[in-house]
Amino acid sequence: MYQPPLPPEYSNLSDDELRSRISAAKKALGSKLVILGHHYQRDEIIEYADFRGDSYKLAKLAAAAPEAEYIVFCGVHFMAESADILTPESQIVILPNLAAGCSMADMANLFQVRAAWKQIHSVLGPSERVIPVTYINSAANLKAFVGEHDGTVCTSTNAPTAVKWALEQGTKMFFFPDQHLGRNTGVKLGYSTDEMVVWDPFKPMGGNTPEAVQRAKFILWKGHCSVHKRFTVEQIEKARREMPGVHVLVHPECELEVVEAADSNGSTEFILDSITNAPAGSKWAVGTEINLVSRLAKEMPDKQIVCLDPEICPCSTMYRIHPSFLLWTLENLVAGNVVNQVKVPAEVRENALISLQRMLTVCA
Ligand code: 13P
Ligand code: SF4
C-alpha cells in the first residue's frame, strides 16, 4: 500500500515533543477517538492505546465501539481492513502508516487463490465439498472469496473451532495463507500430517499429484511468517539447558516441530494471559515477536521472561507505526482532515463481512 512521505515537520521531533503533542491531540479528540494497539507494537505506541490485544480481541473491540468517530488502528493493514469491514460506514478507520503490511498476508492473492480453487475442483468428484478458511492475516478480497464460498475467517485464538466447524460442513478444508497455523491446528485436533498437502501457488496443481489432492483432508497454502519461522527446536533445547524448569510458550505460526517441542502454544493474548497468571519466580522462554516479549519482561520483573531467539527480530512492518505517524494522523483529525484512512470497497466488504461475522458467531 502506497504511503505518502511523512511531512518534514513531523520527521525530527524529540521523544518529549512527540509525547506531549500526541497526548494533547488525543485529549482534544476525546470520546470521538479510540486507539487500538496490537501486542507487537512498540512501547512508545502502546502507551497511547485505549485497548491492546491480539487480532481476535481487536476485531471484536472494533465491532463494539460504535460511539467512536475514528478508530486509529496501531497494527498492520489487514487488521485495519477487518476493523473497517466490521464497523458502520460512518466510522473512519485509520492506519497511521499505510506501509505497515504483513509479509505473510502478501503470500496469497485473489488471483492465485481463484486459480487454486479451480484446479482443486478439477480433480474432485461431485460428493466432495471444500470449505475455505482464511487466517485473518489476509487481504479483504480473500475474506470476501471465503464469504462467497461458505467459509470462515479464523485467528490464532479460534483456529481449532474454525477448522472443526469447516470439517463438519465439508469433506476438505482449504486453508490460507499460513501453512503452519493450518497444520498445527489440524494436529491439535488429532489429524495426521499424512492427511495434509501443501499448495504451492507457483506450481501446477500446487506441486501435488491429483491423487494426493483427492486423498487430502487439509490443503494448506504455502505461506509463513518470517518472524515465527526463526524459532527452532535447538533454541528450545538450549533454553531448557540454561533455564531449568523453564516453560516454553510459542505462537502457533511457528513450525510444527517447534510447537511440538514447546510446552504450550497460543495467540499473543494467550501468551500474555498465561504469563500474567503464572506464579512469581516462574521462568518463560517465549517464541514470538520481540516487542511483546520485552514488554512482558518489563511489566513482570518477578518472573524470568526471555525470547527464544537471541537475535532480536521485530516484525518490521508492525514497527512502521512510529509515533511520528501517529501524531501526524491525530493532529490532522483535530484539524478536521482524515489522512491514511483504510476503506474497503463496498463490493468486497459485503462478502468479507459474511466470513468475518461467521468467525465472530460460529467460531466465537
Ligand atoms: P495474534 O492474533 O496472535 O495477535 O497474531 C497476529 C499475528 O500477526 C501474529 O504474527
Ligand atoms: Fe505478519 Fe508475521 Fe508480522 Fe504477524 S509477525 S504481522 S504474521 S509478518
Side-chain angles (χ1 to χ4, degrees):
M1 188 63 56
Y2 174 68
Q3 170 61 58
L6 188 69
E9 63 271 26
Y10 286 96
S11 299
N12 284 314
L13 300 172
S14 69
D15 291 350
D16 284 348
E17 191 165 1
L18 282 167
R19 191 164 280 130
S20 70
R21 282 173 60 181
I22 292 174
S23 302
K26 210 181 152 196
K27 202 166 163 213
L29 289 162
S31 60
K32 285 188 189 171
L33 169 74
V34 168
I35 300 182
L36 302 179
H38 185 267
H39 289 308
Y40 292 166
Q41 291 290 300
R42 55 177 97 195
D43 290 349
E44 298 83 347
I45 291 291
I46 285 294
E47 68 179 271
Y48 305 109
D50 297 300
F51 301 100
R52 331 176 185 177
D54 63 2
S55 312
Y56 184 61
K57 184 172 166 188
L58 294 177
K60 283 205 299 187
L61 282 165
E67 70 289 347
E69 240 172 89
Y70 309 114
I71 295 180
V72 173
F73 210 123
C74 296
V76 286
H77 195 262
F78 71 81
M79 297 179 181
E81 275 189 332
S82 299
D84 180 53
I85 295 163
L86 288 166
T87 50
E89 284 286 341
S90 55
Q91 265 179 318
I92 292 175
V93 176
I94 288 166
L95 182 63
N97 182 348
L98 292 173
C102 163
S103 54
M104 175 207 282
D106 292 343
M107 288 178 191
N109 65 43
L110 183 59
F111 177 78
Q112 294 169 319
V113 167
R114 276 200 184 127
W117 187 254
K118 208 166 154 197
Q119 286 183 69
I120 291 166
H121 282 89
S122 73
V123 298
L124 297 183
S127 62
E128 293 277 14
R129 180 148 188 252
V130 185
I131 303 296
V133 177
T134 187
Y135 190 21
I136 197 166
N137 299 35
S138 57
N141 59 10
L142 290 184
K143 295 183 176 82
F145 174 92
V146 164
E148 202 183 326
H149 293 91
D150 304 322
T152 186
V153 175
C154 78
T155 67
S156 52
T157 295
N158 58 22
T161 318
V163 169
K164 209 160 159 267
W165 172 86
L167 291 173
E168 279 160 12
Q169 313 305 306
T171 52
K172 293 184 192 302
M173 186 192 60
F174 182 28
F175 190 95
F176 42 86
D178 185 17
Q179 60 169 303
H180 301 297
L181 181 65
R183 187 177 296 112
N184 290 327
T185 307
V187 169
K188 209 178 255 182
L189 292 173
Y191 293 94
S192 150
T193 51
D194 295 342
E195 297 172 273
M196 304 176 188
V197 290
V198 174
W199 188 275
D200 181 343
F202 298 102
K203 293 187 177 157
M205 198 53 71
N208 303 289
T209 60
E211 295 73 26
V213 173
Q214 285 157 359
R215 272 195 312 271
K217 197 130 191 95
F218 290 69
I219 303 168
L220 306 173
W221 194 265
K222 195 175 179 200
H224 65 268
C225 165
S226 47
V227 175
H228 290 93
K229 214 171 175 299
R230 293 172 59 93
F231 299 111
T232 63
V233 173
E234 291 68 41
Q235 290 166 353
I236 295 180
E237 287 166 354
K238 187 164 177 279
R240 292 200 195 284
R241 276 196 308 275
E242 292 175 358
M243 296 170 71
V246 71
H247 186 109
V248 179
L249 174 50
V250 301
H251 195 278
E253 287 174 12
C254 293
E255 290 176 5
L256 176 63
E257 55 177 9
V258 172
V259 166
E260 286 186 329
D263 296 301
S264 55
N265 68 88
S267 75
T268 53
E269 192 74 12
F270 175 85
I271 292 172
L272 170 73
D273 288 346
S274 304
I275 303 182
T276 304
N277 296 326
S282 55
K283 300 177 196 174
W284 298 84
V286 187
T288 198
E289 206 266 356
I290 190 66
N291 278 292
L292 173 57
V293 183
S294 308
R295 187 174 314 117
L296 294 175
K298 242 184 280 170
E299 288 177 351
M300 291 178 259
D302 59 331
K303 296 163 197 171
Q304 196 182 338
I305 304 165
V306 300
C307 184
L308 264 184
D309 185 354
E311 283 173 42
I312 309 295
C313 179
C315 170
S316 58
T317 47
M318 285 274 181
Y319 206 64
R320 289 182 184 163
I321 307 292
H322 186 274
S324 318
F325 279 89
L326 179 60
L327 177 63
W328 176 43
T329 49
L330 293 186
E331 287 193 342
N332 267 282
L333 290 180
V334 174
N337 307 319
V338 173
V339 292
N340 293 351
Q341 181 177 5
V342 172
K343 185 96 201 110
V344 175
E347 66 277 12
V348 175
R349 183 192 167 95
E350 195 183 326
N351 281 326
L353 184 58
I354 295 174
S355 61
L356 274 165
Q357 274 177 339
R358 191 165 284 135
M359 170 184 88
L360 293 175
T361 49
V362 179
C363 311

